[in-house]
Amino acid sequence: MEREKQAGWHATTILTVRKGGKVVIAGDGQVSMGDTVVKNTARKVRRIADGSVIAGFAGATADAFTLFERLEKKLEQYPGQLLRACVELAKDWRTDRYLRHLQAMLIVANKEMTLLVSGNGDVLDPEGGLAAIGSGGNYALAAARALYDTDMDADALARKAMKIAADICIYTNDNIVVETLEEA
């Protein structure tokens, strides 16, 4: 992410957990510039498409909001077809002169599926009900994998894994926002 490196911006941990009939996307609230925390309460997880889809982003905030808007338009064009909407977004992201410069990554989920979407044209359906992005993503993902076979529900597991990531990653805090959907 060239622009992120140039500006010195770091931060974001986004984790999704699909377990026990629920899908959860959790995100931390930290935004840092260099070694300084600029904001502790950023909201990087939200509901879109009339609440039927939850999404989280890592990367440049303005770029992510542009992608959220584009994804919502794709979901209006292809109602109830999250995969198709994400594939169409990824195609646009790769080929459109303006969009190809956007520096962000998305995790999106509905009741049936979870997808990772990137500007490289990737639309991935992660295995095992877990996925993470952002600077603390690997910490949260490792913690979630370790906790997955416990009796924790999706919400508790996501919160615990995010707390572990916040304890390890200096670009992640424990101001966690969680959005949940019940699976179909």
Short mmCIF file of all heavy atoms in Angstrom, two decimals, residues 112-181:
data_model
loop_
_atom_site.label_atom_id
_atom_site.label_comp_id
_atom_site.label_asym_id
_atom_site.label_seq_id
_atom_site.Cartn_x
_atom_site.Cartn_y
_atom_site.Cartn_z
N GLU A 112 -25.03 -16.20 4.50
CA GLU A 112 -24.56 -17.42 3.85
C GLU A 112 -23.05 -17.50 3.65
O GLU A 112 -22.49 -18.59 3.64
CB GLU A 112 -25.21 -17.58 2.47
CG GLU A 112 -26.69 -17.86 2.51
CD GLU A 112 -27.54 -16.59 2.68
OE1 GLU A 112 -27.13 -15.52 2.19
OE2 GLU A 112 -28.60 -16.68 3.33
N MET A 113 -22.38 -16.36 3.42
CA MET A 113 -20.96 -16.43 3.08
C MET A 113 -20.17 -15.24 3.58
O MET A 113 -20.73 -14.19 3.88
CB MET A 113 -20.78 -16.55 1.57
CG MET A 113 -21.23 -15.34 0.79
SD MET A 113 -20.95 -15.43 -1.02
CE MET A 113 -21.20 -17.12 -1.38
N THR A 114 -18.85 -15.46 3.66
CA THR A 114 -17.89 -14.42 4.00
C THR A 114 -16.92 -14.31 2.84
O THR A 114 -16.48 -15.32 2.30
CB THR A 114 -17.10 -14.81 5.27
OG1 THR A 114 -18.01 -14.99 6.36
CG2 THR A 114 -16.08 -13.76 5.63
N LEU A 115 -16.57 -13.07 2.47
CA LEU A 115 -15.66 -12.85 1.36
C LEU A 115 -14.61 -11.80 1.71
O LEU A 115 -14.93 -10.81 2.37
CB LEU A 115 -16.42 -12.39 0.11
CG LEU A 115 -17.46 -13.36 -0.44
CD1 LEU A 115 -18.34 -12.66 -1.47
CD2 LEU A 115 -16.79 -14.58 -1.03
N LEU A 116 -13.39 -12.04 1.26
CA LEU A 116 -12.32 -11.05 1.31
C LEU A 116 -12.22 -10.46 -0.08
O LEU A 116 -12.17 -11.20 -1.07
CB LEU A 116 -10.99 -11.70 1.66
CG LEU A 116 -10.86 -12.32 3.04
CD1 LEU A 116 -9.58 -13.15 3.12
CD2 LEU A 116 -10.83 -11.25 4.09
N VAL A 117 -12.20 -9.13 -0.18
CA VAL A 117 -12.15 -8.46 -1.48
C VAL A 117 -10.97 -7.50 -1.47
O VAL A 117 -10.83 -6.69 -0.56
CB VAL A 117 -13.46 -7.69 -1.76
CG1 VAL A 117 -13.45 -7.11 -3.17
CG2 VAL A 117 -14.68 -8.58 -1.54
N SER A 118 -10.13 -7.60 -2.53
CA SER A 118 -8.97 -6.71 -2.61
C SER A 118 -8.90 -6.04 -3.97
O SER A 118 -9.55 -6.47 -4.93
CB SER A 118 -7.67 -7.51 -2.39
OG SER A 118 -7.29 -8.18 -3.57
N GLY A 119 -8.07 -5.02 -4.06
CA GLY A 119 -7.86 -4.30 -5.30
C GLY A 119 -7.04 -5.06 -6.32
O GLY A 119 -6.89 -4.63 -7.45
N ASN A 120 -6.51 -6.20 -5.93
CA ASN A 120 -5.79 -7.04 -6.88
C ASN A 120 -6.74 -7.91 -7.69
O ASN A 120 -6.30 -8.71 -8.50
CB ASN A 120 -4.80 -7.96 -6.14
CG ASN A 120 -3.71 -7.17 -5.46
OD1 ASN A 120 -3.32 -6.11 -5.93
ND2 ASN A 120 -3.22 -7.68 -4.34
N GLY A 121 -8.03 -7.78 -7.43
CA GLY A 121 -9.02 -8.59 -8.12
C GLY A 121 -9.39 -9.84 -7.36
O GLY A 121 -10.12 -10.69 -7.86
N ASP A 122 -8.91 -9.96 -6.14
CA ASP A 122 -9.21 -11.14 -5.33
C ASP A 122 -10.59 -11.04 -4.71
O ASP A 122 -10.96 -10.01 -4.14
CB ASP A 122 -8.20 -11.27 -4.17
CG ASP A 122 -6.77 -11.40 -4.65
OD1 ASP A 122 -6.53 -12.18 -5.59
OD2 ASP A 122 -5.90 -10.73 -4.07
N VAL A 123 -11.34 -12.13 -4.82
CA VAL A 123 -12.59 -12.32 -4.09
C VAL A 123 -12.48 -13.73 -3.54
O VAL A 123 -12.63 -14.70 -4.26
CB VAL A 123 -13.83 -12.18 -5.00
CG1 VAL A 123 -15.10 -12.42 -4.19
CG2 VAL A 123 -13.87 -10.81 -5.66
N LEU A 124 -12.15 -13.82 -2.26
CA LEU A 124 -11.84 -15.10 -1.64
C LEU A 124 -12.87 -15.46 -0.60
O LEU A 124 -13.27 -14.62 0.21
CB LEU A 124 -10.45 -15.05 -1.00
CG LEU A 124 -9.30 -14.66 -1.92
CD1 LEU A 124 -8.04 -14.42 -1.11
CD2 LEU A 124 -9.09 -15.71 -2.98
N ASP A 125 -13.27 -16.72 -0.59
CA ASP A 125 -14.15 -17.29 0.42
C ASP A 125 -13.26 -18.06 1.38
O ASP A 125 -12.85 -19.17 1.09
CB ASP A 125 -15.17 -18.21 -0.25
CG ASP A 125 -16.16 -18.81 0.72
OD1 ASP A 125 -16.16 -18.43 1.90
OD2 ASP A 125 -16.94 -19.68 0.29
N PRO A 126 -12.91 -17.47 2.53
CA PRO A 126 -11.95 -18.11 3.43
C PRO A 126 -12.50 -19.40 4.03
O PRO A 126 -13.70 -19.54 4.25
CB PRO A 126 -11.71 -17.06 4.52
CG PRO A 126 -12.90 -16.17 4.46
CD PRO A 126 -13.41 -16.22 3.05
N GLU A 127 -11.60 -20.33 4.28
CA GLU A 127 -11.99 -21.61 4.86
C GLU A 127 -12.04 -21.54 6.38
O GLU A 127 -11.37 -20.72 6.99
CB GLU A 127 -10.97 -22.69 4.46
CG GLU A 127 -10.97 -22.97 2.98
CD GLU A 127 -9.94 -24.02 2.60
OE1 GLU A 127 -9.16 -24.46 3.47
OE2 GLU A 127 -9.93 -24.41 1.43
N GLY A 128 -12.81 -22.41 6.96
CA GLY A 128 -12.80 -22.56 8.41
C GLY A 128 -13.58 -21.55 9.19
O GLY A 128 -13.49 -21.52 10.42
N GLY A 129 -14.31 -20.66 8.54
CA GLY A 129 -15.14 -19.72 9.26
C GLY A 129 -14.42 -18.54 9.86
O GLY A 129 -15.01 -17.76 10.60
N LEU A 130 -13.12 -18.38 9.54
CA LEU A 130 -12.33 -17.30 10.12
C LEU A 130 -11.55 -16.56 9.02
O LEU A 130 -11.05 -17.20 8.09
CB LEU A 130 -11.31 -17.84 11.12
CG LEU A 130 -11.86 -18.64 12.30
CD1 LEU A 130 -10.71 -19.32 13.05
CD2 LEU A 130 -12.65 -17.75 13.23
N ALA A 131 -11.44 -15.26 9.16
CA ALA A 131 -10.61 -14.46 8.26
C ALA A 131 -10.27 -13.16 8.97
O ALA A 131 -11.03 -12.70 9.83
CB ALA A 131 -11.34 -14.18 6.96
N ALA A 132 -9.15 -12.56 8.58
CA ALA A 132 -8.75 -11.29 9.18
C ALA A 132 -7.91 -10.50 8.19
O ALA A 132 -7.23 -11.08 7.34
CB ALA A 132 -7.97 -11.53 10.47
N ILE A 133 -7.96 -9.19 8.32
CA ILE A 133 -7.16 -8.28 7.52
C ILE A 133 -6.61 -7.18 8.42
O ILE A 133 -7.07 -7.01 9.55
CB ILE A 133 -7.96 -7.66 6.35
CG1 ILE A 133 -9.20 -6.92 6.85
CG2 ILE A 133 -8.32 -8.74 5.32
CD1 ILE A 133 -9.97 -6.17 5.75
N GLY A 134 -5.67 -6.42 7.90
CA GLY A 134 -5.12 -5.29 8.62
C GLY A 134 -3.82 -5.63 9.31
O GLY A 134 -3.38 -6.78 9.33
N SER A 135 -3.22 -4.61 9.90
CA SER A 135 -1.90 -4.78 10.51
C SER A 135 -1.91 -5.76 11.67
O SER A 135 -0.92 -6.43 11.92
CB SER A 135 -1.35 -3.43 10.96
OG SER A 135 -2.27 -2.76 11.80
N GLY A 136 -3.01 -5.86 12.38
CA GLY A 136 -3.12 -6.83 13.47
C GLY A 136 -3.91 -8.07 13.09
O GLY A 136 -4.20 -8.91 13.94
N GLY A 137 -4.22 -8.20 11.82
CA GLY A 137 -5.05 -9.29 11.36
C GLY A 137 -4.49 -10.67 11.65
O GLY A 137 -5.23 -11.57 12.07
N ASN A 138 -3.20 -10.86 11.43
CA ASN A 138 -2.63 -12.19 11.68
C ASN A 138 -2.65 -12.55 13.16
O ASN A 138 -2.82 -13.72 13.50
CB ASN A 138 -1.21 -12.27 11.13
CG ASN A 138 -1.20 -12.36 9.61
OD1 ASN A 138 -2.17 -12.77 9.00
ND2 ASN A 138 -0.09 -11.95 9.02
N TYR A 139 -2.51 -11.57 14.04
CA TYR A 139 -2.58 -11.84 15.48
C TYR A 139 -4.01 -12.27 15.86
O TYR A 139 -4.21 -13.24 16.60
CB TYR A 139 -2.18 -10.61 16.30
CG TYR A 139 -0.81 -10.11 15.99
CD1 TYR A 139 -0.63 -8.88 15.36
CD2 TYR A 139 0.33 -10.84 16.33
CE1 TYR A 139 0.64 -8.39 15.08
CE2 TYR A 139 1.60 -10.36 16.05
CZ TYR A 139 1.75 -9.13 15.42
OH TYR A 139 3.01 -8.66 15.14
N ALA A 140 -4.98 -11.52 15.36
CA ALA A 140 -6.39 -11.84 15.66
C ALA A 140 -6.77 -13.19 15.07
O ALA A 140 -7.48 -13.98 15.71
CB ALA A 140 -7.30 -10.74 15.13
N LEU A 141 -6.31 -13.46 13.86
CA LEU A 141 -6.63 -14.74 13.21
C LEU A 141 -6.02 -15.91 13.98
O LEU A 141 -6.70 -16.92 14.22
CB LEU A 141 -6.14 -14.73 11.77
CG LEU A 141 -6.43 -15.98 10.94
CD1 LEU A 141 -7.93 -16.23 10.86
CD2 LEU A 141 -5.82 -15.82 9.55
N ALA A 142 -4.78 -15.78 14.40
CA ALA A 142 -4.13 -16.85 15.17
C ALA A 142 -4.87 -17.09 16.48
O ALA A 142 -5.12 -18.24 16.87
CB ALA A 142 -2.67 -16.52 15.43
N ALA A 143 -5.24 -16.02 17.16
CA ALA A 143 -5.98 -16.16 18.42
C ALA A 143 -7.33 -16.81 18.19
O ALA A 143 -7.75 -17.70 18.94
CB ALA A 143 -6.14 -14.79 19.08
N ALA A 144 -8.03 -16.39 17.13
CA ALA A 144 -9.35 -16.96 16.83
C ALA A 144 -9.24 -18.44 16.50
O ALA A 144 -10.07 -19.24 16.93
CB ALA A 144 -9.99 -16.20 15.68
N ARG A 145 -8.21 -18.82 15.77
CA ARG A 145 -8.02 -20.24 15.46
C ARG A 145 -7.77 -21.05 16.73
O ARG A 145 -8.28 -22.15 16.89
CB ARG A 145 -6.87 -20.43 14.48
CG ARG A 145 -7.24 -20.06 13.08
CD ARG A 145 -6.13 -20.33 12.11
NE ARG A 145 -6.56 -20.01 10.75
CZ ARG A 145 -5.74 -19.94 9.73
NH1 ARG A 145 -4.45 -20.17 9.88
NH2 ARG A 145 -6.21 -19.64 8.53
N ALA A 146 -6.99 -20.49 17.64
CA ALA A 146 -6.71 -21.19 18.89
C ALA A 146 -7.96 -21.33 19.75
O ALA A 146 -8.12 -22.32 20.47
CB ALA A 146 -5.61 -20.46 19.66
N LEU A 147 -8.85 -20.36 19.68
CA LEU A 147 -10.06 -20.35 20.51
C LEU A 147 -11.26 -21.03 19.86
O LEU A 147 -12.27 -21.27 20.53
CB LEU A 147 -10.45 -18.90 20.84
CG LEU A 147 -9.46 -18.11 21.69
CD1 LEU A 147 -9.81 -16.62 21.67
CD2 LEU A 147 -9.42 -18.65 23.10
N TYR A 148 -11.17 -21.35 18.58
CA TYR A 148 -12.34 -21.79 17.83
C TYR A 148 -13.00 -23.04 18.40
O TYR A 148 -14.23 -23.14 18.42
CB TYR A 148 -11.98 -22.01 16.35
CG TYR A 148 -13.21 -22.10 15.48
CD1 TYR A 148 -13.84 -20.95 15.05
CD2 TYR A 148 -13.74 -23.32 15.10
CE1 TYR A 148 -14.98 -21.00 14.25
CE2 TYR A 148 -14.87 -23.39 14.31
CZ TYR A 148 -15.48 -22.22 13.89
OH TYR A 148 -16.61 -22.29 13.11
N ASP A 149 -12.24 -23.99 18.88
CA ASP A 149 -12.81 -25.24 19.39
C ASP A 149 -13.29 -25.15 20.83
O ASP A 149 -13.71 -26.15 21.40
CB ASP A 149 -11.80 -26.39 19.24
CG ASP A 149 -11.58 -26.76 17.79
OD1 ASP A 149 -12.52 -26.60 16.98
OD2 ASP A 149 -10.47 -27.20 17.45
N THR A 150 -13.25 -23.97 21.42
CA THR A 150 -13.78 -23.80 22.77
C THR A 150 -15.30 -23.65 22.69
O THR A 150 -15.88 -23.62 21.61
CB THR A 150 -13.18 -22.54 23.44
OG1 THR A 150 -13.64 -21.38 22.75
CG2 THR A 150 -11.65 -22.59 23.44
N ASP A 151 -15.94 -23.49 23.85
CA ASP A 151 -17.39 -23.34 23.86
C ASP A 151 -17.83 -21.89 23.68
O ASP A 151 -19.02 -21.58 23.79
CB ASP A 151 -17.99 -23.93 25.14
CG ASP A 151 -17.47 -23.26 26.40
OD1 ASP A 151 -16.56 -22.41 26.31
OD2 ASP A 151 -17.98 -23.59 27.49
N MET A 152 -16.91 -20.98 23.37
CA MET A 152 -17.26 -19.58 23.13
C MET A 152 -18.13 -19.46 21.90
O MET A 152 -17.89 -20.13 20.90
CB MET A 152 -16.01 -18.73 22.90
CG MET A 152 -15.16 -18.47 24.09
SD MET A 152 -13.79 -17.40 23.55
CE MET A 152 -13.04 -17.12 25.12
N ASP A 153 -19.13 -18.56 21.96
CA ASP A 153 -19.89 -18.27 20.75
C ASP A 153 -19.09 -17.32 19.87
O ASP A 153 -18.02 -16.84 20.25
CB ASP A 153 -21.29 -17.74 21.09
CG ASP A 153 -21.28 -16.34 21.68
OD1 ASP A 153 -20.21 -15.71 21.80
OD2 ASP A 153 -22.38 -15.86 22.02
N ALA A 154 -19.61 -17.04 18.68
CA ALA A 154 -18.88 -16.23 17.70
C ALA A 154 -18.53 -14.85 18.24
O ALA A 154 -17.41 -14.36 18.05
CB ALA A 154 -19.69 -16.12 16.41
N ASP A 155 -19.47 -14.22 18.91
CA ASP A 155 -19.25 -12.88 19.45
C ASP A 155 -18.14 -12.87 20.50
O ASP A 155 -17.20 -12.07 20.43
CB ASP A 155 -20.55 -12.33 20.02
CG ASP A 155 -20.41 -10.90 20.51
OD1 ASP A 155 -20.03 -10.70 21.69
OD2 ASP A 155 -20.68 -9.98 19.72
N ALA A 156 -18.24 -13.76 21.48
CA ALA A 156 -17.24 -13.82 22.55
C ALA A 156 -15.87 -14.19 22.00
O ALA A 156 -14.85 -13.62 22.41
CB ALA A 156 -17.67 -14.83 23.61
N LEU A 157 -15.84 -15.11 21.05
CA LEU A 157 -14.58 -15.52 20.45
C LEU A 157 -13.93 -14.35 19.71
O LEU A 157 -12.73 -14.09 19.87
CB LEU A 157 -14.83 -16.68 19.48
CG LEU A 157 -13.62 -17.43 18.98
CD1 LEU A 157 -13.99 -18.85 18.62
CD2 LEU A 157 -12.97 -16.76 17.81
N ALA A 158 -14.71 -13.61 18.92
CA ALA A 158 -14.17 -12.47 18.18
C ALA A 158 -13.64 -11.41 19.14
O ALA A 158 -12.54 -10.87 18.95
CB ALA A 158 -15.24 -11.88 17.27
N ARG A 159 -14.39 -11.12 20.20
CA ARG A 159 -13.94 -10.11 21.15
C ARG A 159 -12.64 -10.53 21.86
O ARG A 159 -11.72 -9.72 22.03
CB ARG A 159 -15.03 -9.83 22.18
CG ARG A 159 -16.20 -9.07 21.61
CD ARG A 159 -17.32 -8.84 22.64
NE ARG A 159 -18.49 -8.27 22.03
CZ ARG A 159 -18.65 -6.97 21.77
NH1 ARG A 159 -17.69 -6.12 22.07
NH2 ARG A 159 -19.76 -6.55 21.21
N LYS A 160 -12.55 -11.79 22.26
CA LYS A 160 -11.35 -12.29 22.93
C LYS A 160 -10.16 -12.26 21.98
O LYS A 160 -9.06 -11.83 22.36
CB LYS A 160 -11.60 -13.71 23.45
CG LYS A 160 -10.42 -14.34 24.15
CD LYS A 160 -10.10 -13.66 25.45
CE LYS A 160 -9.01 -14.42 26.19
NZ LYS A 160 -8.58 -13.73 27.39
N ALA A 161 -10.35 -12.72 20.74
CA ALA A 161 -9.25 -12.71 19.77
C ALA A 161 -8.79 -11.29 19.47
O ALA A 161 -7.58 -11.03 19.35
CB ALA A 161 -9.69 -13.42 18.49
N MET A 162 -9.72 -10.35 19.37
CA MET A 162 -9.36 -8.95 19.13
C MET A 162 -8.61 -8.37 20.32
O MET A 162 -7.67 -7.60 20.16
CB MET A 162 -10.60 -8.12 18.82
CG MET A 162 -11.24 -8.45 17.48
SD MET A 162 -10.24 -7.99 16.06
CE MET A 162 -10.34 -6.20 16.16
N LYS A 163 -9.01 -8.75 21.53
CA LYS A 163 -8.30 -8.29 22.73
C LYS A 163 -6.87 -8.82 22.73
O LYS A 163 -5.92 -8.08 23.06
CB LYS A 163 -9.06 -8.77 23.98
CG LYS A 163 -8.36 -8.53 25.29
CD LYS A 163 -8.31 -7.07 25.68
CE LYS A 163 -7.82 -6.90 27.10
NZ LYS A 163 -6.42 -6.50 27.20
N ILE A 164 -6.69 -10.08 22.35
CA ILE A 164 -5.34 -10.65 22.27
C ILE A 164 -4.52 -9.88 21.23
O ILE A 164 -3.36 -9.53 21.49
CB ILE A 164 -5.41 -12.16 21.95
CG1 ILE A 164 -5.98 -12.91 23.16
CG2 ILE A 164 -4.04 -12.70 21.56
CD1 ILE A 164 -6.36 -14.35 22.89
N ALA A 165 -5.11 -9.61 20.07
CA ALA A 165 -4.40 -8.85 19.03
C ALA A 165 -4.01 -7.47 19.55
O ALA A 165 -2.90 -6.99 19.31
CB ALA A 165 -5.26 -8.73 17.78
N ALA A 166 -4.92 -6.82 20.29
CA ALA A 166 -4.64 -5.49 20.84
C ALA A 166 -3.50 -5.53 21.85
O ALA A 166 -2.74 -4.56 21.97
CB ALA A 166 -5.90 -4.90 21.48
N ASP A 167 -3.37 -6.64 22.57
CA ASP A 167 -2.28 -6.78 23.54
C ASP A 167 -0.93 -6.98 22.86
O ASP A 167 0.11 -6.75 23.48
CB ASP A 167 -2.55 -7.96 24.48
CG ASP A 167 -3.68 -7.68 25.46
OD1 ASP A 167 -4.06 -6.51 25.62
OD2 ASP A 167 -4.16 -8.66 26.07
N ILE A 168 -0.93 -7.41 21.60
CA ILE A 168 0.31 -7.72 20.89
C ILE A 168 0.68 -6.65 19.87
O ILE A 168 1.83 -6.24 19.79
CB ILE A 168 0.19 -9.09 20.17
CG1 ILE A 168 -0.03 -10.20 21.18
CG2 ILE A 168 1.43 -9.36 19.31
CD1 ILE A 168 -0.42 -11.53 20.55
N CYS A 169 -0.28 -6.21 19.08
CA CYS A 169 -0.03 -5.31 17.96
C CYS A 169 -0.15 -3.85 18.41
O CYS A 169 -1.20 -3.45 18.91
CB CYS A 169 -1.02 -5.58 16.83
SG CYS A 169 -0.82 -4.48 15.41
N ILE A 170 0.90 -3.07 18.20
CA ILE A 170 0.86 -1.67 18.63
C ILE A 170 -0.08 -0.82 17.79
O ILE A 170 -0.39 0.30 18.15
CB ILE A 170 2.27 -1.03 18.65
CG1 ILE A 170 2.88 -1.02 17.25
CG2 ILE A 170 3.16 -1.75 19.64
CD1 ILE A 170 4.15 -0.21 17.15
N TYR A 171 -0.53 -1.34 16.64
CA TYR A 171 -1.45 -0.61 15.77
C TYR A 171 -2.90 -1.06 15.95
O TYR A 171 -3.75 -0.79 15.11
CB TYR A 171 -1.02 -0.76 14.31
CG TYR A 171 0.35 -0.20 14.07
CD1 TYR A 171 1.40 -1.03 13.71
CD2 TYR A 171 0.60 1.15 14.21
CE1 TYR A 171 2.66 -0.52 13.49
CE2 TYR A 171 1.87 1.68 14.01
CZ TYR A 171 2.90 0.83 13.64
OH TYR A 171 4.15 1.34 13.43
N THR A 172 -3.18 -1.76 17.05
CA THR A 172 -4.53 -2.26 17.34
C THR A 172 -4.89 -1.88 18.77
O THR A 172 -4.07 -2.03 19.66
CB THR A 172 -4.56 -3.80 17.20
OG1 THR A 172 -4.12 -4.15 15.90
CG2 THR A 172 -5.96 -4.34 17.43
N ASN A 173 -6.11 -1.39 18.98
CA ASN A 173 -6.54 -1.12 20.34
C ASN A 173 -7.73 -2.01 20.72
O ASN A 173 -8.21 -2.80 19.92
CB ASN A 173 -6.83 0.37 20.57
CG ASN A 173 -8.09 0.87 19.89
OD1 ASN A 173 -8.92 0.11 19.39
ND2 ASN A 173 -8.25 2.18 19.87
N ASP A 174 -8.16 -1.88 21.96
CA ASP A 174 -9.25 -2.74 22.44
C ASP A 174 -10.61 -2.03 22.44
O ASP A 174 -11.53 -2.45 23.11
CB ASP A 174 -8.93 -3.32 23.82
CG ASP A 174 -8.70 -2.27 24.88
OD1 ASP A 174 -8.83 -1.06 24.58
OD2 ASP A 174 -8.39 -2.66 26.01
N ASN A 175 -10.74 -0.99 21.64
CA ASN A 175 -12.03 -0.34 21.43
C ASN A 175 -12.70 -1.08 20.26
O ASN A 175 -12.58 -0.68 19.10
CB ASN A 175 -11.84 1.14 21.11
CG ASN A 175 -13.15 1.85 20.93
OD1 ASN A 175 -14.21 1.33 21.24
ND2 ASN A 175 -13.09 3.05 20.40
N ILE A 176 -13.38 -2.17 20.56
CA ILE A 176 -13.85 -3.11 19.57
C ILE A 176 -15.31 -2.81 19.19
O ILE A 176 -16.17 -2.64 20.06
CB ILE A 176 -13.76 -4.57 20.08
CG1 ILE A 176 -12.36 -4.86 20.63
CG2 ILE A 176 -14.18 -5.56 19.01
CD1 ILE A 176 -11.23 -4.70 19.67
N VAL A 177 -15.58 -2.77 17.89
CA VAL A 177 -16.93 -2.67 17.35
C VAL A 177 -17.26 -4.02 16.72
O VAL A 177 -16.46 -4.56 15.95
CB VAL A 177 -17.03 -1.54 16.29
CG1 VAL A 177 -18.39 -1.57 15.60
CG2 VAL A 177 -16.78 -0.19 16.93
N VAL A 178 -18.41 -4.56 17.07
CA VAL A 178 -18.82 -5.87 16.56
C VAL A 178 -20.19 -5.76 15.92
O VAL A 178 -21.11 -5.17 16.51
CB VAL A 178 -18.86 -6.92 17.70
CG1 VAL A 178 -19.37 -8.26 17.20
CG2 VAL A 178 -17.50 -7.07 18.35
N GLU A 179 -20.32 -6.32 14.73
CA GLU A 179 -21.61 -6.44 14.05
C GLU A 179 -21.87 -7.92 13.85
O GLU A 179 -20.96 -8.67 13.48
CB GLU A 179 -21.64 -5.72 12.71
CG GLU A 179 -21.59 -4.21 12.83
CD GLU A 179 -22.89 -3.58 13.32
OE1 GLU A 179 -23.91 -4.30 13.38
OE2 GLU A 179 -22.87 -2.39 13.63
N THR A 180 -23.11 -8.36 14.06
CA THR A 180 -23.47 -9.78 14.01
C THR A 180 -24.69 -10.02 13.13
O THR A 180 -25.62 -9.20 13.12
CB THR A 180 -23.80 -10.29 15.43
OG1 THR A 180 -22.69 -10.01 16.29
CG2 THR A 180 -24.10 -11.78 15.44
N LEU A 181 -24.66 -11.12 12.41
CA LEU A 181 -25.83 -11.60 11.67
C LEU A 181 -26.08 -13.05 12.05
O LEU A 181 -25.13 -13.81 12.26
CB LEU A 181 -25.57 -11.57 10.15
CG LEU A 181 -25.49 -10.22 9.46
CD1 LEU A 181 -25.06 -10.42 8.01
CD2 LEU A 181 -26.81 -9.48 9.54
#
